[in-house]
C-alpha cells in the first residue's frame, strides 16, 4: 500500500497528455489528491505541442509503451521472456488467441505486444490496473492483468462503447472488476452486454470548479444588427465527422444575409482542410476563424469573448458518436448559451427551450434556425445561459464521481450502491 493510504494503481491510457481529453487528466489529478498512488502507462507518445495546467498537477510517473512493436523489438522480446514466466501467462495467451481468431488484425497483435511489456515492466507494488476506454486500452489492460493476476477496472466513454464489437465488449465486461461510464445512454448500452450489470456505474465527468476561471461579467447585448459588432459564435471540438462541423457550416451559410456574425473554432483534427474548403465554397470563409488545438487558457479566453456556443454532434458513418462533451458544461459554466443536437447523451444535460436549444442531428436547416433565433435575442441567450449554469453547478460537479472511483480503486466500493445505480 502507498504511504498515503491509497492503492497503487497503474492507469492505462491511449495517449498522455492529450488536449482533447481534459476530463481524464482532471480525474487523474483528483484521484491523486485523494491519496491514490498512480502510475501512467501510455500507448502513444504525445502529439499535441501544448499542455493544459491540469496536466502539470499530475505527479504520477509516466511510462510509454511501444506504440509500434517494430520500433522497440528488443524491449518487446525481453518483455516476452519475462512475461512467459508469469503464472497467468498461459491464461492471457489463451484469451489473446481467442480474440485473434475473431479479429485477425495487426492492431490485435500490437495490443498483445504492449500487454507483454506492461506485464513485464509493472513494479511489484502495483495492486490494480485501471484503463481509460473500453477498446484498445482495455485490451492491453485485460491481457496484462491476467498475466500478473491483478484485478482491473475500466472507464468507458463514447467511441469505445459504440464502435467495439459486441463479443469484445462482453468479454471485457465479464473479466473486469467494475466499470464506470459517463452517460446514461452509454450505461444502458453496456447493460445490454453485461452478464452482471451490478458491475456498471454511471459517473458523469462533471467539472472541477476549483480549477476553472470565474465566469466573465455580463456579456454585451449584441443582436446581429451591427456589422461593426457581430455576434461571436464559438465551437470547441475535434474536427472529426461525429462533431458535425460540415452541418454547422451549412447552417451558418443559411443565416439571413442581414445578420452579422462571426464563427470561431478551437480544436485540431483530420478534417481541417476539408472544412476550410467547405467554408470557402459556401462563401463564409471570411467570417470563420480556425484557431486549431489550444491549451486550456486559450480555450477559456475564447469562451469569454463569445456570445453563443454551438456543437453539432451526430453519429458518424462508423457508428462513433459523442458521449456528453465536457465542453458544453464548460461553456455553460462560463455563462454562454448553448445550441446543440439531440445526439448521444447531450439531452442528459441540455433541456430544449429551458437550458439551451436542441435540434435533430445532421439537420443543418433546423440548426440554422436555432442559431438565428439566438443571434437576434440577447435576452433569450442570457436566460438560457443562466439556467444552464445553475444545472452545471448543482448537478455536474465532479467531486462525487471521483470520490466513488477513489473508493473503488481502494477496494471499498459499496456493492449495494452499484447494484442500485445500475438498476436505474
Amino acid at each position: 500500500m502507498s504511504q498515503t493510504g491509497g492503492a497503487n494503481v497503474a492507469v492505462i491510457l491511449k495517449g498522455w497528455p492529450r488536449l482533447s481529453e481534459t476530463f481524464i487528466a482532471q480525474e487523474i489529478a483528483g484521484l491523486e489528491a485523494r491519496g491514490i498512488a498512480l502510475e501512467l502507462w501510455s500507448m502513444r507518445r504525445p502529439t499535441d505541442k501544448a499542455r493544459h495546467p491540469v496536466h502539470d498537477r499530475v505527479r504520477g510517473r509516466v511510462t510509454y509503451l511501444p506504440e509500434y512493436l517494430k520500433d522497440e523489438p528488443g524491449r518487446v522480446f525481453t518483455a516476452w521472456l519475462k512475461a512467459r514466466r508469469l503464472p497467468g501467462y498461459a491464461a492471457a495467451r489463451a484469451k489473446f488467441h481467442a480474440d485473434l481468431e475473431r479479429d485477425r488484425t495487426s492492431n490485435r497483435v500490437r495490443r498483445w505486444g504492449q500487454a507483454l511489456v506492461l506485464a513485464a515492466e509493472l513494479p511489484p507494488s502495483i495492486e490494480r490496473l485501471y484503463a481509460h476506454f473500453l477498446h484498445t486500452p482495455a485490451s492491453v489492460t485485460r491481457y496484462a492483468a491476467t498475466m500478473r493476476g491483478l484485478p482491473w477496472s475500466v472507464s468507458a466513454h463514447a467511441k469505445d462503447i459504440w464502435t467495439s464489437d459486441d463479443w469484445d465488449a462482453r468479454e471485457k465486461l465479464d473479466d473486469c472488476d467494475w466499470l464506470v461510464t459517463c452517460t446514461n445512454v452509454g450505461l444502458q448500452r453496456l447493460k445490454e452486454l453485461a452478464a452482471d450489470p451490478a458491475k456498471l456505474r454511471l459517473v458523469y465527468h462533471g467539472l472541477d470548479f476549483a480549477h476553472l476561471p470565474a465566469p466573465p461579467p455580463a456579456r454585451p447585448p449584441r443582436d446581429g444588427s451591427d456589422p461593426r459588432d457581430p455576434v461571436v459564435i464559438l465551437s470547441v471540438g475535434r474536427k472529426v465527422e461525429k462533431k458535425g462541423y460540415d452541418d454547422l457550416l451549412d447552417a451558418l451559410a443559411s443565416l439571413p444575409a442581414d445578420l452579422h456574425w462571426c464563427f470561431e473554432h478551437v480544436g485540431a483534427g483530420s478534417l481541417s482542410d476539408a472544412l476550410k474548403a467547405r467554408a470557402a465554397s459556401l462563401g463564409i470563409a471570411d467570417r470563420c476563424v480556425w484557431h486549431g488545438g489550444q491549451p486550456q487558457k486559450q480555450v477559456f479566453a475564447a469562451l469569454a469573448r463569445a456570445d453563443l456556443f454551438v456543437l453539432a454532434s451526430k453519429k458518424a458513418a462508423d457508428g462513433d458518436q459523442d458521449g456528453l462533451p465536457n465542453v458544453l458544461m464548460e461553456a455553460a459554466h462560463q455563462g454562454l448559451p448553448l445550441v446543440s443536437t439531440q445526439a448521444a447523451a447531450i439531452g442528459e444535460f441540455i433541456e430544449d427551450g429551458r437550458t439551451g436549444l436542441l435540434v435533430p442531428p445532421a439537420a443543418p436547416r433546423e440548426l440554422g434556425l436555432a442559431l438565428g433565433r439566438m443571434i437576434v435575442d440577447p435576452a433569450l441567450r442570457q436566460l438560457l445561459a443562466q439556467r444552464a449554469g445553475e444545472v452545471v453547478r448543482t448537478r455536474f460537479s465532479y467531486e462525487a464521481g471521483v470520490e466513488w472511483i477513489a473508493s473503488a480503486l481502494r477496494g471499498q466500493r459499496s456493492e449495494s450502491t452499484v447494484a442500485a445505480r445500475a438498476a436505474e
Side-chain angles (χ1 to χ4, degrees), residues 41 45 63-66 72-80 117 121:
W41 293 76
R45 293 187 174 273
T63 303
Y64 291 97
L65 297 170
E72 298 185 69
R75 186 182 178 194
V76 176
F77 180 70
T78 300
W80 172 72
V117 174
E121 296 183 2

Side-chain angles (χ1 to χ4, degrees), residues 207-216 219 300 303 326-338 349 385 388-393 396:
L207 299 181
D208 182 2
F209 301 130
H211 292 96
L212 293 181
R219 298 171 191 272
F300 278 91
L303 291 169
N326 259 34
V327 69
L328 289 170
M329 289 181 275
E330 291 172 343
H333 177 268
Q334 292 297 293
L336 276 177
L338 308 173
F349 170 51
E390 290 171 357
V391 171
V392 166
R393 288 186 291 274
F396 287 93

